Amino acid sequence: MLSVTGLRKVYGRVPALDGVDLDVPTGTLTAVLGPSGCGKTTLLRCVAGFERVDAGAITLAGRHVAGVPAHRRRVAVVPQEGALFPHLSVAGNVGYGLNRAERGSGRVEEVLALVGLDGYGARMPHQLSGGQQQRVAVARALAPRPPLVLLDEPFSALDAALRTELRRDVRQALRADGATAVLVTHDQAEALSIADQVAVMNGGRIEQSGPPTTVYQEPASPWVAGFVGEAVLLPGTTHGAMVETALGRLPLRDPATDRVQRNTTVLVRPEQIDLRTEGYGVVATVVRHDFHGHDALVALRLADGTEVTARVNSEAGALSVGQLVGVAVRGAARAFDTTSPGADGHPSHTTPGLAGQR
Ligand code: ADP
Ligand code: MG
């Protein structure tokens, strides 16, 4: 439905978009995931037709949209908040983009039901909670059956519990209506949980796109690995299908396609690191313990001084700082060619999941 190739947009001398390629299949939800300032909003504004692009092409339903004004692209946009007309009722807001016949056809009621607001048509926006207002904004976007719905961090102004519920419901509404949508977010949990495809964006480019499991399990670069979840990155030396690291000799996830060299950067996820008693695997010292309710992250220092993070279930919370433990890795490691773009060169310690800090 949407295809973006080589898209560039420069503000002054700073490229906000530096060659973006993105394909969004009909009827699917793509999450564009990236840190603040990486160009997510600019990308949406270019696709919607609010910005002139400096280079590259955008096709919508197979047609080039260069020179097509925003209103003729019919792309719907759901902003972060404050999207509703305050003086119009819920039904008035949802029916705003519809003609008389469409308004009479029951479409307004249909999309309100899809977002869980059956019977709310007569309410005014100020009589709704923040979450309900975002539901109305989604219903209004869906109402005219646009070829594409763009959502710009639509849940970020809401508190955590509400956000989880709303993103589930909105995804279901988009699915039920057969909509094609692009949602941008800086929240990796949000992207992984709702999207059919995740496009990871950094510095005005898409570094990787693919199904959520692929992006998490087979990140294209150490940067992607660290942004999409927690990553333990270690220097390693490959020997055929194995790699030697401070965590021991580990099997490589995909020795054939990992473009490995002898010296490489190795990724394991904290949930792959098993903690037992001393005498098992390699020895490590507990340096920190962060309890998260459902699990805990334990920072460990290995004999050579490298720090790594293990995810343990909360019953293992009896660990104390300074304690010696035995550590081993379950499953396979991923190796990065350290000369590939995105490899930062220096053998890093644990990169905390950035999304968790926001
Ligand atoms: P994101 O939505 O990922 O946080 P944006 O697309 O808003 O990022 O911004 C990308 C970059 O472009 C940033 O460096 C931002 O400062 C810059 N930028 C965005 N809009 C403008 C503008 N209208 N004028 C100048 N610079 C802008
Ligand atoms: Mg933005």
Side-chain angles (χ1 to χ4, degrees):
M1 182 58 76
L2 172 68
S3 175
V4 171
T5 45
L7 200 65
R8 262 180 76 79
K9 173 72 193 173
V10 183
Y11 292 114
R13 269 185 297 163
V14 189
L17 301 179
D18 193 14
V20 170
D21 297 313
L22 182 67
D23 275 300
V24 179
T26 303
T28 64
L29 173 58
T30 292
V32 174
L33 170 68
S36 178
C38 75
K40 304 182 296 296
T41 296
T42 305
L43 174 60
L44 292 196
R45 291 179 57 79
C46 289
V47 170
F50 303 145
E51 295 280 357
R52 234 170 47 88
V53 309
D54 293 309
I58 301 171
T59 61
L60 196 56
R63 292 167 63 179
H64 281 274
V65 294
V68 177
H71 69 275
R72 297 224 356 253
R73 295 188 191 187
R74 296 186 53 245
V75 172
V77 181
V78 179
Q80 191 170 336
E81 56 182 330
L84 304 183
F85 301 116
H87 57 287
L88 291 182
S89 68
V90 166
N93 268 279
V94 174
Y96 186 80
L98 303 182
N99 62 35
R100 212 187 161 84
E102 288 167 329
R103 270 198 293 270
S105 71
R107 179 65 177 159
V108 170
E109 294 69 26
E110 183 183 23
V111 288
L112 278 175
L114 275 180
V115 299
L117 290 180
D118 213 353
Y120 279 69
R123 296 256 194 125
M124 295 304 286
H126 74 267
Q127 296 173 307
L128 302 175
S129 69
Q132 289 170 332
Q133 291 183 21
Q134 284 307 77
R135 288 172 190 263
V136 175
V138 170
R140 184 176 65 186
L142 289 175
R145 303 185 200 276
L148 183 65
V149 180
L150 305 177
L151 305 103
D152 193 353
E153 314 223 20
F155 315 128
S156 59
L158 308 171
D159 60 66
L162 197 55
R163 204 154 63 213
T164 312
E165 184 191 313
L166 194 55
R167 72 191 185 209
R168 214 172 31 224
D169 290 355
V170 165
R171 177 208 205 193
Q172 215 175 324
L174 292 170
R175 282 254 165 90
D177 212 42
T180 308
V182 178
L183 178 144
V184 311
T185 178
H186 62 262
D187 182 333
Q188 52 102 355
E190 184 163 296
L192 293 178
S193 68
I194 70 171
D196 302 301
Q197 171 183 238
V198 177
V200 187
M201 192 169 183
N202 185 22
R205 290 166 181 265
I206 306 288
E207 284 212 15
Q208 182 176 14
S209 25
T213 49
T214 305
V215 169
Y216 186 78
Q217 291 166 1
E218 295 161 38
S221 67
W223 187 86
V224 170
F227 196 75
V228 184
E230 312 255 349
V232 177
L233 295 167
L234 299 161
T237 314
T238 57
H239 304 273
M242 305 292 284
V243 63
E244 194 73 46
T245 71
L247 283 172
R249 186 177 260 252
L250 313 176
L252 285 169
R253 187 181 175 83
D254 203 342
T257 61
D258 276 335
R259 287 172 302 139
V260 293
Q261 40 186 23
R262 281 188 65 79
N263 292 312
T264 177
T265 298
V266 177
L267 165 72
V268 295
R269 294 293 187 184
E271 58 271 23
Q272 288 180 262
I273 299 183
D274 251 350
L275 288 195
R276 304 270 183 86
T277 51
E278 212 189 325
Y280 164 83
V282 284
V283 72
T285 311
V286 175
V287 292
R288 206 171 46 251
H289 189 261
D290 301 321
F291 182 59
H292 293 294
H294 43 78
D295 59 18
L297 287 175
V298 182
L300 302 158
R301 189 176 307 114
L302 306 178
D304 69 351
T306 309
E307 235 187 67
V308 301
T309 301
R311 191 185 299 282
V312 300
N313 62 28
S314 16
E315 297 103 83
L319 295 162
S320 51
V321 171
Q323 185 182 342
L324 291 181
V325 292
V327 171
V329 174
R330 258 181 301 117
R334 181 165 174 83
F336 296 104
D337 179 345
T338 43
T339 59
S340 69
D344 59 12
H346 32 256
S348 110
H349 306 308
T350 303
T351 31
L354 298 172
Q357 295 176 357
R358 297 215 173 83

